[in-house]
Amino acid sequence: MRPSAMSVVLPSAAFSTAARAIARIAAPLAAACLAWLVAIGAAWPLAAIAQPVTLQTSSWLPASHPLSQSQAKWCQEVEQATHSRVRCSPLPGPVSPPPGTFDAVRDGLADLSFSVHGYTPGRYPITQIAELPFAGNTAEAASLAYQRIFARHLAALNDHRGLKVIAVFTHGPGQICNARRPVASLADMAGLRFRVDGGTVSDIGKAIGATVVMKPASETLELLGAGAIDGTFSPAESISSLRLEKAIHHCTIVPGGLYNTSFAFVMNQAAWERISKTDQDAIERLSGEHAAMLFGRAPGPGRSTRRRADAGERRAHDRRRQGLRRRDPRARGAARAQVDRRCEGARAAGSRAGAPGVPCRGGAIALGG
């Protein structure tokens, strides 16, 4: 067949040359397109995982309480560390009474909260290691030590199934506080009913002959007002954080604490798994010892507690000086020196240590010396 007038037939050599030229141009473009498609395919799962996550937080304590504030501060740190990919949204109220908090988080009623192990006696027995007497003078030191023990030895026991444990911590050293009278000896506790958290403190209260009622700390003021209890075994900081200043008039300070209380700060496991690996790594850096010290650092005697303590000490010394004036002048100086020696030495709780039965700060009676 003859080619038409408009047709051009290239020689085979020219055709081969053109094909090679096109191949040289097309090969890099094809490789670039293939690399682009591979990169998109690899990045697509990561993009899907790294979606924003909002954690619903709950607290059974008032928003003004130091522990509620610590939870909020931790959430702010997480939001900053994850560039707002993980954020917290506080629920308008607690999703459960305090004893049910761990179960509520496990069941997804909230994604994040904290609670006391002793509110469910017998369920977390190994955590009672943090509740023994005389464990330390500050919540921060006790919380750090507890978190280290938990990470090295206790976490592997998996007592918190269904929960991601962010940190464990304690409150400050527990003391004996009441509305009725000074307690300078075990006999002075006769007839008084004390609120306790449960766990080790309940056993300690019974061992020293106290009548104890196991109730959450958040109910203390209501119970005192109703006359259901006469006092509470609580850390000194609870007097101000739970607004007990007008109800509690006497505290007996035990150096190192008569007891302590074990807490856990936990996240729902499914909520944790929704978070991307990158953001999980960022959150892990804010967990453990960092979070334990954040919660441990929160408690502390308020200024009003210290002012009342100072006023109480002055009144106690004034009463003693009035009695000393009626004594022999030589004995008066020696007795005054003895009182001063017994009450010297500041304690971390804001009270002073002295011999048994010696009134010190704020209507407190310091034991030991």
Side-chain angles (χ1 to χ4, degrees), residues 182 237 291 369:
E237 64 263 18

Side-chain angles (χ1 to χ4, degrees), residues 88 134 143 179 253 298 300 304:
C88 293
F134 322 125
S143 296
I253 304 302
S304 62

Side-chain angles (χ1 to χ4, degrees), residues 193-237:
R193 293 167 59 86
F194 292 90
R195 184 214 66 85
V196 299
D197 291 327
T200 300
V201 63
S202 180
D203 297 333
I204 291 172
K206 294 173 184 176
I208 63 175
T211 300
V212 297
V213 178
M214 198 187 78
K215 291 289 184 179
S218 55
E219 297 181 19
T220 304
L221 186 59
E222 180 182 353
L223 292 168
L224 285 166
I229 60 173
D230 303 297
T232 178
F233 285 8
S234 295
E237 64 263 18

Side-chain angles (χ1 to χ4, degrees), residues 124-213:
Y124 302 98
I126 199 67
T127 63
Q128 292 182 261
I129 192 173
E131 301 180 347
L132 299 175
F134 322 125
N137 285 324
T138 69
E140 186 175 2
S143 296
L144 178 59
Y146 183 26
Q147 173 59 39
R148 288 177 175 174
I149 292 172
F150 180 84
R152 294 173 187 174
H153 305 290
L154 308 184
L157 300 176
N158 197 24
D159 278 351
H160 300 80
R161 293 175 184 83
L163 296 170
K164 164 67 177 175
V165 179
I166 303 299
V168 294
F169 61 97
T170 74
H171 60 38
Q175 312 297 356
I176 305 169
C177 300
N178 81 95
R180 304 298 182 194
R181 56 176 178 264
V183 173
S185 68
L186 297 182
D188 293 333
M189 300 178 69
L192 298 179
R193 293 167 59 86
F194 292 90
R195 184 214 66 85
V196 299
D197 291 327
T200 300
V201 63
S202 180
D203 297 333
I204 291 172
K206 294 173 184 176
I208 63 175
T211 300
V212 297
V213 178

Side-chain angles (χ1 to χ4, degrees), residues 28 48 91 93 267 286 343:
L91 293 168
M267 185 185 298
L286 298 173
C343 278

Side-chain angles (χ1 to χ4, degrees), residues 232-281:
T232 178
F233 285 8
S234 295
E237 64 263 18
S238 291
I239 304 302
S240 57
S241 63
L242 295 177
R243 301 176 180 176
L244 304 178
E245 295 97 331
K246 294 182 179 180
I248 292 295
H249 308 302
H250 309 280
C251 282
T252 300
I253 304 302
V254 180
L258 179 66
Y259 74 98
N260 214 308
T261 294
S262 169
F263 293 76
F265 180 37
V266 297
M267 185 185 298
N268 173 271
Q269 186 66 41
W272 172 253
E273 292 169 359
R274 290 200 307 268
I275 299 171
S276 70
K277 180 62 168 63
T278 299
D279 290 339
Q280 284 182 351
D281 291 342

